[in-house]
Amino acid sequence: MATLCVDGCPSLRKTGFLLFKTSIIFVFLFNPTLTTRLYSEEDPVVILTSATVKQTLVNSSTAWLVQFYSSWCGHCIQYSPTWKALAGDVKGALDAAAERIRELEHQVQKQKISHSPQLQVNRFCASDEDFGQETTPSPNRKLQFIQVHPVLLPFSFRIEDWEHAIRIGVLDCAQENNFDICKEFGIHFYPTFRYFKARGPTFDVGKTYRGADRELQTVRQLMVNFLQNHTRQDWPVSCPPLEPYSSADILPLIGQKSNQYTAVIVENEDSYVGREVILDLMMYQGLTVKRALSSERSLTEKLGINSFPSAYLLHPNGTHAILHVQKRLRFFFSSFLKLLLGVHRKLSTSGAPQEPLLEGPRGPGTAEALKDFEKSKVYMADLESGLHYLLRVELATHQTLEGEELKTFKDFVTVVAKLFPGRQSVVKLLETLLEWLVSLPLEKIPFDAILDLVNNRMRISGMFLSDQLQWVGCQGSRVGLRGYPCSLWTLFHVLTVQAASRPDALANTGLEENPKAVLQTMRKYIVNFFGCQECGKHFEEMAVASLPQVKSVDQAVLWLWRKHNQVNGRLAGTMSEDPHFPKTQWPSPDLCPICHEEQDGIHVWNEDKVLMFLKQHYGAANISPKHMYSSWHEPNQEAVGSPDSMPIKATQVKTVAPESSLLHANHAKQSDVEGAGQAGTGAHRETRPGVSFLGLGFSSVDMSLCVVLYAFSCVFLMVMFFFFRVRSKRWKIRYNRPYV
Ligand SMILES: Cc1cc2nc3c(=O)[nH]c(=O)nc-3n(C[C@H](O)[C@H](O)[C@H](O)COP(=O)(O)OP(=O)(O)OC[C@H]3O[C@@H](n4cnc5c(N)ncnc54)[C@H](O)[C@@H]3O)c2cc1C
């Protein structure tokens, strides 16, 4: 295959450097260390080989777009991030790994340096007539690519969005065992793109795409065109209709009740938005997306639509309205529709529809409605529940802490004690724990001792952490979903934002100079203690790859956001996803419209705006005390008059904690004397009930007792005073009376 390419390179033929050619071919074909694979199992593409390609393509239920490439071809190397981005894009994922793109670009750069003769050869190959014009990106174009191309997920996806209509594959013609199959397909140049129709009964070499424009948006639109070229006989089994509907089809649906939503995208004839949204939503149930053309006057007039594209939503209850999105872009429409209540991704790949999950019951095992909450808020109840679970349950499985574990725990307590923007009682507990750990010269600490402090067995007043799990922003639609891992992410996002907005908070801890202090603490915590070992492994891989590049506290905030999105992308559509809270690239457009942009038809994040948003969202002022347990286990309400302060139905979920820790926890509860003084204090440290004196905290109850005692003693002294005064007067009268 390599010979084919080189023979097909007119420029090289002209130069006549046969010796040079042969040596390059020799070097790249027979030096396995230089022939790197461009795609791995972790990329969102299907890797085909001579053994699998025919059986995959023949009679496939989906259409295919396959790139035949050569792993030694410079242009293929340059192009691989775009191809992966395309595959990620049509799988419904968004920018989860701009950093990963940079990593890959970095790798490409490295290869360029070490294999410059190879790139030279392939530049000639790429300019062959089959590709038309120049295909190697110019330096400017490439720079734009790095900034723009958003979708590159380093893990295999289980999101099956366009996949049930058209799939994306790669076949490496530089692999020796693929030589013959590439010859059979008649591949002469790299990369060659071939389309394969669905349900083709016999072997077919496919249809070559010969256009010069290989930008992501162009290829994605070509995929749509290719799908539409199918006939009724070979139409991909699960692909929804892509043709526009007429007014006559849509108008009768208006006002009708149905068991699902219908979204109608009304657009101009040359627009791809409707078809792309239809494909984005094809694996979702509870909703059908249709498209109609702006030329359908009776429809646009009836719906009152005069700018295109627009979307109109017909609700199951018969009501209907225009769909208001901040920007009329594919991504905004798709993500709005995916987040509709009752719309969720089909988890089963068998095609069997799943039970619709509409409002109401929270699924098997739970009969309660979800607590009311706003997704634009962070809840102190989640943070405190997370801390409780972490300290009393997750860590309590360790009998003793020593060595690396003890160091990790000390760092964790340092970071959290200094940065946690919580209630005074919790902060005091963390600070006391920190003081105690720092003052201890021990190299090994039994965890029971730590638990005693966490549970406040010493009855230090004003120090308390609830032992109740109360998930609000992290509540799941059934037990076992969300909860603790959600609160852990939330806690660390809050801590990175605190570290960025309060630069002096870590002063005198030894961590003040380190912008990665929170992330490194989180990394060590996740590796050493987080119950999900696989999660720890993945997180560690991400940290090894890109944490060293974090140089400031702001970058730390963004790093965690990117990695969290990377995890979201990997887990979307898997069993751990709560159908009521689908894993999407966050923040969604409804939370932060200015965070999202589109360039050349591709979604991009505006990272400056994302940073601003993260600082606001995870800032102390956005942490709501709603549903938080007070010491007396009464749910707190927000300030009177706030729209948040609606009556709520609090659910108490007891932790499956070791007996001793629960015992201790109950003990701590009894010793708590803050009472109502704490209720409603919210997330702000400034609201401090009680007084601190000589390093000891006095709660309001302590203070009231003092005042009462003082008053009692005053009254007692006065009574004594008057008593003795009256007596002394009597004595005087008795002893001074003249004898009769
Ligand atoms: C470090 C870590 C690694 C994990 N790795 C795995 C794993 O490999 N496999 C696995 O099955 N589970 C893993 N989990 C658990 C998984 O990520 C989820 O936490 C869990 O499935 C609960 O999901 P959730 O829907 O509550 O949302 P979560 O992903 O837990 O998110 C919690 C909240 O954070 C906000 N949020 C979402 N995305 C972002 C973002 N990018 N930036 C900032 N805020 C955001 C949202 O408000 C969301 O509700 C991991 C958890 C942690 C803490």
Side-chain angles (χ1 to χ4, degrees), residues 482 485-486 488-490 493 522 526 530 535 538-539 561 564-565 567-568 570-571 576 581 583 586 614 618:
R482 311 194 73 222
C486 167
L488 203 56
W489 278 118
T490 312
H493 286 300
M522 173 177 185
I526 297 292
F530 191 42
C535 307
H538 285 138
F539 193 75
W561 161 74
H564 192 169
N565 267 346
V567 175
N568 292 344
R570 182 159 52 84
L571 298 180
S576 65
F581 302 93
K583 287 185 198 300
W586 189 96
L614 289 168
Y618 287 111

Side-chain angles (χ1 to χ4, degrees), residues 539-707:
F539 193 75
E540 183 59 19
E541 280 165 17
M542 296 194 294
V544 167
S546 54
L547 194 55
Q549 283 134 40
V550 173
K551 300 282 182 255
S552 70
V553 279
D554 281 353
Q555 285 175 12
V557 173
L558 281 172
W559 185 88
L560 193 60
W561 161 74
R562 275 191 219 110
K563 296 301 131 188
H564 192 169
N565 267 346
Q566 210 165 310
V567 175
N568 292 344
R570 182 159 52 84
L571 298 180
T574 61
M575 298 299 280
S576 65
E577 180 179 69
D578 188 328
H580 275 269
F581 302 93
K583 287 185 198 300
T584 55
Q585 297 301 291
W586 189 96
S588 53
D590 56 327
L591 274 181
C592 179
I594 54 168
C595 296
H596 300 267
E597 285 172 8
E598 197 174 280
Q599 280 175 25
D600 301 332
I602 300 159
H603 170 270
V604 281
W605 291 105
N606 181 330
E607 294 203 347
D608 292 340
K609 298 286 186 315
V610 171
L611 181 62
M612 267 168 55
F613 174 79
L614 289 168
K615 286 186 172 176
Q616 178 276 326
H617 183 81
Y618 287 111
N622 195 40
I623 304 179
S624 166
K626 195 167 177 179
H627 301 294
M628 197 162 63
Y629 275 114
S630 72
S631 323
W632 310 110
H633 295 184
E634 276 171 19
N636 285 349
Q637 305 289 314
E638 270 189 335
V640 182
S642 140
D644 274 352
S645 53
M646 288 158 61
I648 47 117
K649 184 169 177 290
T651 25
Q652 291 195 15
V653 188
K654 269 278 178 192
T655 6
V656 195
E659 217 172 66
S660 62
S661 70
L662 277 181
L663 235 164
H664 294 178
N666 289 334
H667 193 85
K669 234 186 312 171
Q670 285 161 17
S671 66
D672 171 67
V673 280
E674 285 180 68
Q678 285 289 314
T681 52
H684 306 287
R685 256 186 209 212
E686 301 83 52
T687 327
R688 290 170 184 239
V691 183
S692 178
F693 180 65
L694 293 175
L696 297 172
F698 293 94
S699 75
S700 13
V701 178
D702 294 334
M703 296 306 294
S704 322
L705 276 174
C706 281
V707 172

Side-chain angles (χ1 to χ4, degrees), residues 61-111:
S61 60
T62 68
W64 281 85
L65 171 59
V66 180
Q67 184 197 157
F68 293 84
Y69 74 100
S70 167
S71 44
W72 51 258
C73 157
H75 179 64
C76 302
I77 296 170
Q78 302 274 11
Y79 192 71
S80 63
T82 309
W83 195 253
K84 292 176 195 181
L86 173 72
D89 182 275
V90 297
K91 284 189 170 191
L94 278 174
D95 181 5
E99 203 161 305
R100 173 81 172 138
I101 296 171
R102 278 183 216 119
E103 281 159 26
L104 262 152
E105 284 292 307
H106 187 62
Q107 280 171 25
V108 169
Q109 291 290 341
K110 274 206 304 206
Q111 291 189 40

